[in-house]
Amino acid sequence: MELEPEHASEILRWGELDVLGRMAWSSNATMLVTASLDGFEMPAVYKPQRGERPLWDFPDGTLCNREVASYELSAETGWEIVPETVLRDGPYGVGMVQRFVDHDPEEHYFTLLENHADELRKFAVFDVLANNADRKGGHCLRDRHDGHIWGIDHGLAFHVAPKLRTVIWDFADEQIAPDLLDDVCRVIGALDARLENLLTRAEIAAV
């Protein structure tokens, strides 16, 4: 059963988390879990803060905050790029919990580009706003249920220094669509309230 975003977020935030196992090929601790609340359950991805690998250029213990900040930016723009994501306590301590997207792992940015160019143009603008330092092809997933394209793995974002690293260069030098620019202008004033408990003042100002 497909859940409304508000209901999905409620289950992620307040539901009981049952760890199914660790997800392979992740540089940081990443768990597949089931979130259950009031008879509803959904698969989710849980990344505990304590399992984050230290990095020289990002403050320790902040990647989970940046994942949630990316969801907040996605929600404020209305672009629906990042699945519902919350910051909460879990089986291994505080971390981010994100709705799992059922997808074909053989699909990625380069296989999706031809038929989903307009959706991926939004990703390009989003990554500039979030200063995404880690947009890999496999971070673009097509939902098996409705074909929607989602973006995942936004822990390396919102740095104060320019760090854009992305595979999405096919739209370089294109004029950004007016409706996307309108969305950007609309959300700038609302970002402080959404991000103030997740990022530093300097990081919010950098957006």
Side-chain angles (χ1 to χ4, degrees):
M1 177 173 54
E2 189 71 10
L3 299 173
E4 292 297 320
E6 294 79 7
H7 192 190
S9 292
E10 182 180 353
I11 295 172
L12 293 174
R13 185 174 301 280
W14 304 112
E16 180 179 352
L17 300 183
D18 180 26
V19 177
L20 302 179
R22 183 164 180 170
M23 301 183 75
W25 306 298
S26 299
S27 55
N28 299 296
T30 304
M31 314 291 176
L32 181 64
V33 302
T34 298
S36 305
L37 182 69
D38 296 334
F40 293 91
E41 66 175 36
M42 58 186 293
V45 176
Y46 165 51
K47 296 183 180 180
Q49 184 183 56
R50 63 193 288 188
E52 294 178 5
R53 182 181 62 179
L55 299 169
W56 70 269
D57 54 347
F58 281 82
D60 291 350
T62 66
L63 304 191
C64 54
N65 291 52
R66 298 170 196 279
E67 294 257 21
V68 180
S70 296
Y71 167 69
E72 294 293 343
L73 176 59
S74 170
E76 188 65 35
T77 58
W79 295 347
E80 296 186 315
I81 288 175
V82 183
E84 295 82 8
T85 311
V86 303
L87 188 69
R88 58 162 291 179
D89 197 14
Y92 299 102
V94 172
M96 82 87 175
V97 182
Q98 182 176 89
R99 177 173 60 82
F100 176 78
V101 177
D102 184 19
H103 65 284
D104 180 352
E106 296 299 316
E107 293 186 312
H108 47 75
Y109 171 77
F110 298 102
T111 65
L112 296 169
L113 177 60
E114 182 176 359
N115 294 322
H116 301 276
D118 284 343
E119 293 168 87
L120 294 168
R121 283 183 172 90
K122 292 181 181 179
F123 277 60
V125 180
F126 177 88
D127 285 347
V128 172
L129 288 175
N131 196 14
N132 190 355
D134 189 34
R135 175 66 73 198
K136 296 183 175 70
H139 295 171
C140 301
L141 314 179
R142 188 177 71 87
D143 196 318
R144 290 186 196 268
H145 174 71
D146 59 7
H148 185 82
I149 309 301
W150 296 98
I152 62 168
D153 284 350
H154 296 99
L156 302 185
F158 297 103
H159 201 283
V160 294
K163 284 186 174 289
L164 181 64
R165 291 195 293 267
T166 175
V167 300
I168 304 179
W169 288 107
D170 298 87
F171 315 119
D173 296 326
E174 284 190 5
Q175 189 74 27
I176 298 174
D179 60 323
L180 298 185
L181 292 178
D182 288 344
D183 288 337
V184 173
C185 292
R186 174 178 52 80
V187 305
I188 290 301
L191 287 179
D192 281 21
R194 279 189 175 265
L195 304 181
E196 62 181 355
N197 294 320
L198 300 167
L199 305 174
T200 66
R201 295 303 309 171
E203 289 166 344
I204 295 172
V207 179

